[in-house]
């Protein structure tokens, strides 16, 4: 393999890859391991992955239980060149990390301001590996922080066009808790968790019990919700079952024709901030921002 002299960086998910690319620019060679609509929760290594991981100088992954496929998680937990950027946020800002039952919610990227806290650990690791690029990385990190702060305000502005009594969200799995706290809730709202429900848990598993269905139907009824939002990397079976059970009970329910990006940003040429804007605009349109 030809050596480019660049820092070889591997990230698990594209949401980390995009930020790393913006900081590292042309001083790095980037490889994103979990491509397209693959589910990062259950991803297991395939042929060639071992070599990709070996070849990397630096590895960035989310951690907090996200990449829990046995082969990959073993690799990540035993590698000295791997940094868990989500776990770094857990150490620096533990009060911002959400839980569901006994589990930590790993979907930190769904809150842009929170996700921008991964910029520092990524930048520090790049500088440690490539000190000559210090000024370059630092300047790009500052610029990226500004862009993300602006996008954070923009996304909140889009969602807040929807009146608060309509800002209730049902998606396939529990990927949108951080999103709900940051963008659907009113400022300082204590019961913000009430604004989000999903039939599948923190990791989509396709297992839907009659209790889950009844819980979601009750939720739809009590908040007057009529739209269910599918996610790109999760099967629509659960959403379909709930829609048909709801209709049998006489509820007016439809499935959003557009797809949200929760775990995977697999749209054509989609970057992280565009993924978040897409989610915001889709949700705002369907919840009735312009009724
Ligand atoms: Zn997820």
């Amino acid at each position: 393999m030809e050596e480019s002299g660049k820092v070889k960086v591997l990230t698990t998910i594209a949401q980390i890859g995009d930020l790393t690319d913006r900081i590292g620019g042309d001083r790095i060679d980037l490889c994103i391991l979990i491509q397209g609509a693959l589910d990062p929760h259950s991803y297991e290594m395939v042929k060639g992955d071992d070599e990709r991981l070996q070849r990397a100088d630096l590895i960035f992954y989310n951690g907090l239980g996200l990449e829990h496929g046995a082969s990959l998680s073993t690799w990540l937990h035993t590698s000295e060149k791997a940094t868990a950027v989500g776990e770094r946020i857990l150490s620096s800002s533990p009060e911002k990390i959400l839980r569901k039952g006994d589990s930590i919610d790993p979907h930190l990227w769904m809150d842009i301001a929170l996700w921008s806290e991964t910029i520092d650990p990524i930048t520090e690791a790049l500088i440690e590996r490539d000190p000559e690029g210090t000024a370059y990385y630092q300047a790009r990190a500052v610029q990226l922080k500004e862009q993300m702060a602006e996008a954070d305000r923009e996304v909140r502005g889009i969602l807040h066009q929807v009146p608060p009594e309509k800002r209730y969200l049902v998606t396939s799995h529990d990927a949108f808790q951080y999103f709900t706290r940051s963008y659907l809730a009113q400022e300082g709202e204590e019961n913000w968790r009430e604004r989000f429900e999903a039939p599948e848990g923190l990791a989509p598993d396709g297992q839907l019990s009659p209790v889950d269905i009844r819980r979601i139907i009750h939720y739809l009824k009590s908040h007057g919700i009529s739209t269910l939002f599918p996610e790109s990397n999760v099967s629509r079976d659960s959403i379909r079952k709930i829609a048909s059970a709801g209709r049998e009970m006489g509820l007016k329910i439809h499935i959003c024709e557009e797809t949200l990006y929760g775990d995977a940003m697999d749209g054509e040429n989609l970057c992280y901030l565009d993924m978040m804007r897409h989610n915001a605009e889709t949700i705002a349109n369907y919840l009735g921002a312009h009724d």
Side-chain angles (χ1 to χ4, degrees):
M1 191 150 310
E2 200 178 311
E3 289 299 321
S4 61
K6 297 184 179 187
V7 184
K8 293 186 262 315
V9 185
L10 179 142
T11 74
T12 52
I13 54 173
Q15 294 92 318
I16 302 172
D18 188 41
L19 267 55
T20 305
D21 185 45
R22 282 162 198 268
I23 301 163
D26 51 20
R27 296 188 72 88
I28 67 167
D29 263 339
L30 178 67
C31 166
I32 294 168
L33 190 70
I34 305 172
Q35 295 276 357
L38 294 172
D39 173 15
H41 294 280
S42 58
Y43 184 84
E44 294 283 2
M45 286 164 63
V46 295
K47 195 168 178 289
D49 281 357
D50 196 61
E51 195 197 338
R52 289 182 193 101
L53 287 154
Q54 298 276 8
R55 209 169 71 84
D57 301 312
L58 294 172
I59 295 168
F60 297 120
Y61 69 108
N62 189 78
L64 304 176
L66 178 73
E67 301 95 336
H68 67 223
S71 55
L72 180 58
S73 89
T74 304
W75 218 109
L76 294 170
H77 288 130
T78 52
S79 170
E80 283 182 4
K81 57 191 183 184
T83 302
V85 294
E87 285 166 23
R88 297 287 291 274
I89 298 181
L90 175 65
S91 321
S92 57
S93 310
E95 74 289 354
K96 295 182 188 164
I97 300 298
L98 294 172
R99 287 173 171 74
K100 182 112 186 181
D102 293 334
S103 304
I104 290 182
D105 182 343
H107 303 90
L108 309 184
W109 57 90
M110 298 305 288
D111 174 340
I112 300 170
L114 187 62
W115 196 230
S116 76
E117 294 188 28
T118 62
I119 293 173
D120 283 345
I122 294 170
T123 308
E124 284 159 20
L126 289 172
I127 288 173
E128 197 183 337
R129 173 76 205 184
D130 175 27
E132 280 179 27
T134 300
Y136 178 85
Y137 296 132
Q138 283 173 341
R140 292 173 70 96
V142 168
Q143 198 178 25
L144 180 58
K145 281 181 190 173
E146 285 166 8
Q147 276 172 4
M148 288 178 73
E150 193 183 315
D152 182 69
R153 287 189 292 273
E154 185 192 338
V155 162
R156 188 169 299 102
I158 293 169
L159 271 317
H160 281 224
Q161 290 169 17
V162 181
E165 67 274 16
K166 286 185 175 180
R167 290 205 297 268
Y168 289 89
L169 179 66
V170 178
T171 66
S172 301
H173 88 297
D174 272 328
F176 285 76
Q177 284 205 99
Y178 291 98
F179 185 94
T180 301
R181 180 178 67 180
S182 188
Y183 306 122
L184 298 182
Q186 295 287 80
E187 205 182 329
E189 184 174 14
E190 266 181 43
N191 295 326
W192 61 266
R193 282 174 193 271
E194 187 59 25
R195 293 186 178 274
F196 173 59
E197 258 293 4
E200 298 188 38
L202 283 174
D205 55 9
Q207 302 291 321
L208 202 60
S209 71
V211 175
D212 293 325
I213 296 180
R214 279 201 296 277
R215 186 184 83 239
I216 303 291
I217 298 282
H218 175 75
Y219 182 78
L220 296 169
K221 264 166 87 174
S222 53
H223 296 293
I225 301 164
S226 59
T227 307
L228 304 174
F229 291 90
E231 295 168 45
S232 71
N233 69 313
V234 184
S235 152
R236 295 186 177 211
D237 288 355
S238 305
I239 293 272
R240 287 202 192 102
K241 275 183 202 158
I242 286 167
S244 74
R247 287 185 198 122
E248 275 171 28
M249 295 173 67
L251 297 180
K252 205 183 99 195
I253 294 177
H254 59 269
I255 297 173
C256 178
E257 289 140 30
E258 288 180 72
T259 306
L260 299 183
Y261 298 104
D263 292 342
M265 38 181 274
D266 53 327
E268 195 73 18
N269 299 320
L270 206 64
C271 68
Y272 164 69
L273 289 177
D274 283 347
M275 156 190 162
M276 295 302 291
R277 288 189 191 101
H278 165 89
N279 287 338
E281 279 160 9
T282 303
I283 293 167
N285 282 338
Y286 281 83
L287 292 187
H290 310 293
D291 287 359

